[in-house]
C-alpha cells in the first residue's frame, strides 16, 4: 500500500538535494502554481485562478483520500514546493494479474527544469516506489505536444508503447466540461 512508502526522503540532483514528501492541503496554492506554470496545462484551463481554488481543493482532497493514490511534492532547502507528481496503484488482470503504477501530472517549476529534479523524481519512482508497492510495470501518459518530455522519459528508459485516447464527458451535475465541445458538424 502507499503507506509503505517511507517519506519524506532526500533526493540527489545535479544542482542541490531536494526533499520528496507527501502533499498536504497546505500545498494547494503551490500545486496550482505548478500546474499553471506549464503551457500545455495552462492551455487546458489550469491558470491558478482564485475562482478555481475550491475545485482544486476538492480534487486534492479526493486524491489524498484514496488509499491507492499518493500525491507527492518536491521541496527545496527553503521548503518551497518545486515539483510534484501523482502515483496511482492499479491492480489488474492483464499481464497475468500484474499491478501497475501510473505516474501522472509530473511537474517541475519551469525555472528549475534541466537541473536533474525530474530525473531524481522518476528514479525514485522506478527504484523505490515500484518495488516497495510490488508493481510489475510503471506507466505514464504524456500529451503529444510535450516533445521534450518524451525525450526525457526515453532517456530514463521508458518506452513508447501505446497510443492513448480520451473521451470528454459532457458537463452535468457535479461535472465540469474539461474540453470545449466540438464544433457542430455542418451538412
Amino acid at each position: 500500500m502507499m503507506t509503505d512508502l517511507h517519506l519524506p526522503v532526500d533526493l540527489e540532483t545535479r544542482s542541490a538535494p531536494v526533499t520528496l514528501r507527501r502533499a498536504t492541503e497546505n500545498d494547494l496554492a503551490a500545486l496550482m502554481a505548478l500546474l499553471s506554470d506549464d503551457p500545455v496545462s495552462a492551455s487546458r484551463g489550469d491558470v491558478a485562478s482564485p475562482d478555481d481554488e475550491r475545485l482544486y481543493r476538492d480534487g486534492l482532497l479526493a486524491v489524498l483520500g484514496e488509499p491507492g493514490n499518493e500525491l507527492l511534492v518536491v521541496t527545496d532547502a527553503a521548503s518551497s514546493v518545486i515539483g510534484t507528481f501523482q502515483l496511482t496503484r492499479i491492480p489488474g488482470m492483464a499481464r497475468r494479474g500484474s499491478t501497475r503504477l501510473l505516474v501522472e501530472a509530473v511537474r517541475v517549476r519551469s525555472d528549475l527544469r534541466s537541473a536533474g529534479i525530474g530525473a531524481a523524481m522518476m528514479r525514485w519512482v522506478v527504484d523505490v516506489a515500484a518495488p516497495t508497492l510490488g508493481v510489475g510495470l510503471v506507466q505514464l501518459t504524456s500529451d503529444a505536444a510535450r516533445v521534450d518530455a518524451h525525450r526525457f522519459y526515453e532517456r530514463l528508459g521508458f518506452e513508447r508503447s501505446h497510443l492513448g485516447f480520451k473521451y470528454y464527458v459532457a458537463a452535468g451535475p457535479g461535472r465540469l466540461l474539461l474540453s470545449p465541445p466540438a464544433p457542430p458538424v455542418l451538412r
Side-chain angles (χ1 to χ4, degrees), residues 35-181:
L35 291 170
S36 68
D37 186 36
D38 174 72
V40 174
S41 290
S43 74
R44 296 187 293 221
D46 286 314
V47 294
S49 169
D51 295 338
D52 294 336
E53 185 174 329
R54 181 188 56 80
L55 299 170
Y56 285 105
R57 185 177 310 284
D58 290 350
L60 174 61
L61 294 176
V63 172
L64 297 178
E66 285 289 328
N69 284 320
E70 192 69 80
L71 186 62
L72 301 168
V73 295
V74 176
T75 59
D76 62 13
S79 297
S80 297
V81 174
I82 59 170
T84 187
F85 61 95
Q86 179 179 333
L87 299 178
T88 303
R89 188 176 183 274
I90 308 169
M93 292 293 299
R95 297 179 186 246
R96 300 187 319 258
S98 183
T99 298
R100 300 165 190 242
L101 186 61
L102 177 65
V103 185
E104 282 288 312
V106 178
R107 301 289 189 281
V108 173
R109 205 172 71 197
S110 61
D111 64 318
L112 295 173
R113 291 184 193 136
S114 299
I117 297 166
M121 292 162 51
M122 295 306 295
R123 276 193 309 274
W124 180 86
V125 168
V126 171
D127 295 343
V128 177
T132 299
L133 298 173
V135 303
L137 181 71
V138 175
Q139 65 185 30
L140 54 87
T141 60
S142 180
D143 191 286
R146 297 182 190 278
V147 177
D148 290 340
H150 303 163
R151 284 192 296 268
F152 165 75
Y153 291 123
E154 287 173 336
R155 275 196 314 270
L156 295 176
F158 286 81
E159 299 175 7
R160 291 180 195 231
S161 63
H162 288 71
L163 181 62
F165 297 89
K166 292 181 179 166
Y167 184 90
Y168 292 96
V169 178
R175 291 193 316 258
L176 292 174
L177 183 62
L178 296 177
S179 177

